[in-house]
Amino acid sequence: MRTGQRPGSGGARETGFAQHREGVKRLLASYHAIPPDGSVRLAKKTSNLFRARTKTSTPGLDVSGLTGVIAVDPVARTADVAGMCTYEDLVDATLLYGLAPLVVPQLKSITLGGAVTGLGIESTSFRNGLPHESVLEIDILTGSGDIITATPDGEHAELFFGFPNSYGTLGYSTRLKISLEPVKKYVALRHLRFDSLKALETTMDRIVTDREYDGIAVDYLDGVVFTDTESYLTLGIQTDDEGPVSDYTNENIFYRSIQHPSLIHPKTDRLTTRDYLWRWDTDWFWCSRAFGAQNPKIRRFWPKQYLRSSFYWKLIALDHKYDVGDRLEKRKGNPPRERVVQDVEVPIERTADFVSWFLQEIPIEPLWLCPLRLREPSPAAASTSRPWPLYPLEPKRTYVNIGFWSSVPIVPGEREGAANRLIEEKVSDFDGHKSLYSDSYYSREDFESQYYGGDRYTHLKERYDPNSRLLDLFSKAVQRK
């Protein structure tokens, strides 16, 4: 919604829904313009997927009218949001009322629809779970060209629970109604240092269970591993107390601010809530170093508006198109590199062991850690041991998301994706799983056993995409179609 009005006012609400209806009309018109034998895809300029896809001449769905916040209800603490709305726009709208989504993924350009149908996680996930768990209802354009409203206990409840982790293969969200939570003006940070991964794991587990540390309630929790003897947990505490705040949107780099020498005394910091939510976006965690943006001499002249993940993604796209990185490596006499951009989840009690193995076998650092635990299932989902069948996490069990985003040298003679394949195998050995936004190398049998929820996915495809207008999940995630 771009009316200049607060999205919670009556006039703005009516305007927001009217604009949304027009956007849905354009979407449906573009769907019917796609030839019957053509695959249905989105036509959008940006993406947070890191896997290459087969090019197509078939026109995509027009989602240009589905990019805004439709309405915010500050009393009910809910928001109606178009599927292609970015979290940056959503947060700007909700913070006006002292509210925020229950989980705000790390990068500004991630869309709400993308986080719900794919990966979304952040430092509230140890208490609020994943983005799809705060969805109250969702309008979905299915493969058959129908727009249906799915709720936890309605006619399309099975699609509501099957939609997460389907990556657009069961349909595309046009509107989502989500719960919001109150937030304060600032976030006070405590950076705890550890020289033992096991000690970090134990402390993280205790905080997740107790929701506090040293008698102080913890609102946000994540961590960074630099080496097996230098790792940190960052604890965030909401506060309205006034005071100085740090700024990591220009010269200073957030992940470097975490580091300090003391194993006894934590380092402290303060950010506005908005800056805390986007603390990782300025440098795409630490990936900006690959473009030289962390070099003080370069950073001084780097335009501030380009210190953000969406701009680095454009540089990545250019690299993919022209093989810039491999060409530079070749000129140095080095082999080409394999992209290893992944998020995996392992049970919290296996975190230290997995990270130790990773640091020994895969030359990538730092690593991001983010604990998560599914929320208590709703009555409609409580009868099943896995309420979200395509997202293989067990309720009442704590996991840790481990993120690593870089590349490794390709060893001559090894099969394609050797490092990624090794990680996939090891994650399975540790009773974990990986997200599907990047390269995957599973066999069809292994993939379906992990991500199809038994026969649930096949049943949903038959009901909501009977003519296979949408790609299936294996074709999209592994075969890169």
Side-chain angles (χ1 to χ4, degrees):
M1 192 188 73
R2 310 184 188 283
T3 65
Q5 299 171 293
R6 280 194 174 195
S9 63
R13 185 178 182 87
E14 294 176 4
T15 300
F17 275 100
Q19 292 177 343
H20 179 69
R21 287 191 291 270
E22 289 300 315
V24 171
K25 287 181 181 178
R26 296 204 298 272
L27 173 75
L28 289 173
S30 66
Y31 172 89
H32 293 297
I34 298 174
D37 60 346
S39 293
V40 176
R41 294 184 177 184
L42 297 181
K44 60 177 185 175
K45 297 179 180 179
T46 61
S47 172
N48 283 286
L49 294 179
F50 276 83
R51 56 174 181 264
R53 295 190 63 186
T54 305
K55 293 182 178 180
T56 178
S57 59
T58 302
L61 294 173
D62 180 359
V63 293
S64 60
L66 302 176
T67 60
V69 179
I70 303 168
V72 175
D73 186 335
V75 176
R77 294 178 181 170
T78 62
D80 287 273
V81 186
M84 294 300 297
C85 178
T86 66
Y87 272 92
E88 180 178 24
D89 289 342
L90 175 56
V91 165
D92 283 348
T94 62
L95 284 182
L96 291 173
Y97 303 98
L99 299 170
L102 272 63
V103 181
V104 179
Q106 315 90 335
L107 307 180
K108 293 178 178 179
S109 60
I110 293 176
T111 63
L112 183 61
V116 168
T117 194
L119 171 72
I121 190 172
E122 238 296 343
S123 57
T124 57
S125 289
F126 77 102
R127 58 182 177 85
N128 286 341
L130 300 169
H132 58 263
E133 295 188 273
S134 58
V135 174
L136 302 173
E137 63 181 38
I138 180 170
D139 293 345
I140 300 172
L141 171 66
T142 67
S144 59
D146 301 314
I147 292 183
I148 60 94
T149 299
T151 62
D153 53 2
E155 176 187 357
H156 303 288
E158 62 177 352
L159 181 59
F160 180 89
F161 290 107
F163 195 69
N165 217 46
S166 62
Y167 282 86
T169 64
L170 294 176
Y172 296 103
S173 57
T174 62
R175 179 191 63 91
L176 305 98
K177 186 172 185 176
I178 64 169
S179 296
L180 306 172
E181 69 175 6
V183 292
K184 296 181 180 180
K185 293 171 62 176
Y186 305 103
V187 179
L189 302 180
R190 302 177 72 188
H191 304 303
L192 310 181
R193 177 168 175 160
F194 298 86
D195 61 1
S196 158
L197 292 172
K198 197 65 182 177
L200 177 143
E201 175 192 291
T202 300
T203 302
M204 180 164 47
D205 195 15
R206 187 169 67 249
I207 294 172
V208 171
T209 300
D210 298 342
R211 304 285 181 90
E212 65 175 29
Y213 181 79
D214 279 351
I216 300 174
V218 175
D219 300 304
Y220 306 96
L221 177 64
D222 65 350
V224 176
V225 175
F226 290 91
T227 69
D228 59 356
T229 59
E230 184 189 2
S231 58
Y232 300 84
L233 288 178
T234 294
L235 287 53
I237 298 92
Q238 294 186 29
T239 178
D240 283 325
D241 293 342
E242 298 293 338
V245 294
S246 297
D247 182 358
Y248 299 106
T249 64
N250 198 1
E251 292 187 12
N252 297 321
I253 299 170
F254 177 72
Y255 84 99
R256 288 301 182 192
S257 76
I258 293 172
Q259 295 181 276
H260 64 91
S262 177
L263 294 172
I264 301 174
H265 302 291
K267 182 178 181 181
T268 60
D269 201 352
R270 279 169 51 90
L271 295 171
T272 66
T273 294
R274 189 181 192 280
D275 282 354
Y276 174 78
L277 294 176
W278 303 130
R279 69 202 181 283
W280 293 121
D281 190 82
T282 301
D283 286 281
W284 205 355
F285 285 85
W286 32 79
C287 297
S288 65
R289 64 185 179 181
F291 312 110
Q294 294 184 24
N295 183 322
K297 295 180 180 178
I298 296 176
R299 197 176 184 91
R300 188 175 301 118
F301 299 101
W302 195 288
K304 186 175 180 179
Q305 66 267 30
Y306 296 145
L307 284 172
R308 54 182 289 145
S309 61
S310 56
F311 181 71
Y312 304 133
W313 170 251
K314 292 179 181 179
L315 298 180
I316 288 286
L318 289 173
D319 177 50
H320 291 172
K321 185 175 182 179
Y322 298 108
D323 293 326
V324 177
D326 284 347
R327 290 184 180 185
L328 291 175
E329 292 296 329
K330 185 176 182 180
R331 294 178 72 173
K332 298 176 185 177
N334 297 329
R337 300 181 68 85
E338 176 188 350
R339 181 178 61 193
V340 182
V341 178
Q342 305 284 356
D343 280 73
V344 304
E345 279 101 34
V346 298
I348 194 167
E349 68 272 14
R350 308 300 303 276
T351 301
D353 291 339
F354 178 84
V355 172
S356 294
W357 170 85
F358 187 95
L359 292 173
Q360 293 174 13
E361 298 295 331
I362 309 294
I364 291 177
E365 52 75 28
L367 309 178
W368 184 58
L369 306 182
C370 187
L372 67 143
R373 189 178 177 92
L374 294 182
R375 297 167 69 187
E376 289 298 315
S378 66
S383 61
T384 176
S385 61
R386 182 175 288 176
W388 310 99
L390 308 191
Y391 211 96
L393 297 175
E394 297 177 17
K396 302 181 180 180
R397 189 175 192 184
T398 303
Y399 295 82
V400 175
N401 177 281
I402 304 167
F404 36 91
W405 315 292
S406 189
S407 61
V408 298
I410 294 176
V411 178
E414 287 196 344
R415 58 182 178 171
E416 179 190 4
N420 284 281
R421 293 174 190 269
L422 180 61
I423 292 167
E424 287 179 354
E425 294 169 1
K426 201 67 178 179
V427 168
S428 295
D429 291 344
F430 277 79
D431 198 22
H433 82 290
K434 61 176 275 187
S435 301
L436 300 177
Y437 69 87
S438 189
D439 299 310
S440 297
Y441 295 89
Y442 296 104
S443 68
R444 179 177 285 275
E445 181 181 8
D446 287 344
F447 184 85
E448 291 186 0
S449 69
Q450 290 194 52
Y451 297 101
Y452 273 36
D455 62 355
R456 299 280 290 279
Y457 178 72
T458 301
H459 171 70
L460 288 169
K461 285 291 284 184
E462 291 172 349
R463 179 177 177 183
Y464 293 100
D465 186 24
N467 296 316
S468 299
R469 299 297 306 277
L470 305 170
L471 291 169
D472 69 85
L473 191 54
F474 180 78
S475 297
K476 198 168 188 177
V478 179
Q479 297 179 323
R480 307 175 192 173
K481 293 184 178 180

